[in-house]
Amino acid sequence: MDQSGTYIYGVVPEDIEIDEKAQGVADAPVLSIKHGKIAALVSDIGMTRPLGTPQDLRAHEQLLNATAAEVPVLPIRFGAVLADRDAVIEEFLAPFHDEFVAALSELDGRAQYVIKGRFVEDRVLGEILAENPEAAQLRDDIRALPEDASRDHRIRLGEIINQSIEAKRDADTAAMWDEVEPVSVMAAVRPPSHELDAVHLAVLVENSRQHELEQAVESLGRKWADQVELRLMGPMAPYDFIVSQDQDAE
Amino acid sequence: MTVQPVGSRPGGGVQNRSSGGGSLADVIDTILDKGLVIDAYVSVSLIGIEILSIDARIVIASVDTYLRFAEATNRLDLTKSKPGLPDVVAGAMGGGAAPEPPQVEQVEQVKDRSSLEAAGDKLNDFADGREHAVPRQSRQES
């Protein structure tokens, strides 16, 4: 007989209803396991199958995002599996019941959004050449030299560009922070995930202020129209705003 | 547990407003790097399911990055992209030259907690075709 386990997505208030069609990892139906005032969103998972395909990641994310759009949810990092459903209560929900209740009440009516901006490469490179005479000179030198002889110049030029992009990223991140912070409960800067990232911010926002957030992001987006490709993602579960015990110590 | 930012510090029009998450790369940024870590709560360890996992990435500049930037700069047609050129001109040219699509970050997988095997192949399925990124794994959780 195949061994199976219980995959956990997140913790929600006890009184939620799950859409019968909700599918989790490996297309398994999603269930809730209730304990006191809280419930864990789970699904059964066979243990013969490795976990972590793109489909698995999307299933985890989509279930939590759909949930977060409706109710507060404490998202669990991808990949948590317990031995069985009893273990979910005995080892997870029961011992930390009050802590989870408190966090859920703090998250009530709030959801996370992520703002991600990326520099339009040609545009930002053009700006840097215009702003930095050394960069412009290096570019001219490189064009005049055979490729073999220009390696040092190219490295130096790339270094200047990288530093300039970092400075622009800091400035744009600060500008976006100033724009969205007033309409947010909390905000957090995420590290860049790409060398051309302009902005990478997570914000926790009251559901009633979602429209204000969109307007704030769009107003800066219009200003940056040709320079930065901007995306606003969410609502999603508050991944960036919950800290578990051990993480606090990091 | 507390509700607080995980590491906070202040440091074009919105292209698309996706409901929920974005690309798979965005998903990875979020659900593999963030969220409650259940092992912090559960003393009895997770059962031994094989987890394909990848760690968070941060961008670390390297000589490769520099050379790539230099190459992109060299290719740049300054008559089109130079700031100061009246926007009207670009507009009159039918919106100007379309910028290259942004390059999506590449994903690098490392072994995480639990026994991880064979993570690379599957994850590379979607990382393929994305070039020029300079990801480095970092922050192994401990």
Side-chain angles (χ1 to χ4, degrees), chain B residues 24-38:
Chain B
L24 193 56
D26 296 321
V27 176
I28 290 164
D29 277 345
T30 298
I31 68 170
L32 291 183
D33 188 32
K34 307 281 184 358
L36 287 184
V37 184
I38 199 166

Side-chain angles (χ1 to χ4, degrees), chain A residues 53-248:
Chain A
T53 62
Q55 292 77 10
D56 293 341
L57 299 175
R58 287 224 180 265
H60 180 101
E61 186 226 16
Q62 283 167 7
L63 176 70
L64 285 175
N65 287 354
T67 305
E70 307 286 335
V71 296
V73 55
L74 304 175
I76 293 171
R77 194 174 298 191
F78 178 87
V81 180
L82 291 182
D84 54 35
R85 297 182 192 179
D86 289 342
V88 173
I89 292 181
E90 289 161 15
E91 298 174 16
F92 188 56
L93 294 182
F96 304 101
H97 177 271
D98 296 350
E99 198 181 334
F100 291 158
V101 169
L104 285 171
S105 96
E106 202 173 337
L107 291 168
D108 194 22
R110 300 167 171 180
Q112 173 172 325
Y113 296 80
V114 166
I115 303 153
K116 197 163 185 180
R118 188 158 294 176
F119 290 116
V120 174
E121 184 172 73
D122 284 3
R123 188 67 188 239
V124 74
L125 293 177
E127 277 176 28
I128 292 167
L129 287 178
E131 292 162 5
N132 189 313
E134 186 188 354
Q137 182 61 49
L138 280 165
R139 179 175 182 273
D140 291 343
D141 293 349
I142 291 164
R143 295 194 146 195
L145 287 167
E147 188 171 343
D148 290 351
S150 68
R151 184 179 162 85
D152 289 351
H153 290 70
R154 284 184 282 131
I155 290 172
R156 175 64 189 142
L157 174 59
E159 190 182 4
I160 291 174
I161 289 165
N162 194 61
Q163 286 165 354
S164 304
I165 286 177
E166 282 172 5
K168 287 174 184 293
R169 176 184 302 139
D170 288 347
D172 283 5
T173 298
M176 184 58 83
W177 178 285
D178 290 345
E179 201 73 34
V180 298
E181 199 270 336
V183 303
S184 306
V185 180
M186 293 177 203
V189 176
R190 285 183 166 193
S193 58
H194 187 279
E195 62 209 24
L196 285 171
D197 270 7
V199 171
H200 202 185
L201 277 179
V203 288
L204 188 68
V205 174
E206 300 279 353
N207 294 343
S208 59
R209 303 191 79 178
Q210 177 180 340
H211 188 60
E212 290 175 70
L213 173 72
E214 288 168 359
Q215 285 184 325
V217 174
E218 275 169 28
S219 80
L220 203 48
R222 275 194 296 276
K223 204 168 134 194
W224 290 346
D226 301 327
Q227 297 160 313
V228 176
E229 290 168 358
L230 206 51
R231 290 182 300 148
L232 176 60
M233 294 174 279
M236 62 177 74
Y239 306 91
D240 289 70
F241 299 100
I242 58 168
V243 180
S244 42
Q245 305 157 331
D246 285 6
Q247 285 169 291
D248 270 335

Side-chain angles (χ1 to χ4, degrees), chain B residues 86-97:
Chain B
D87 286 341
V88 201
V89 177
M93 291 163 68

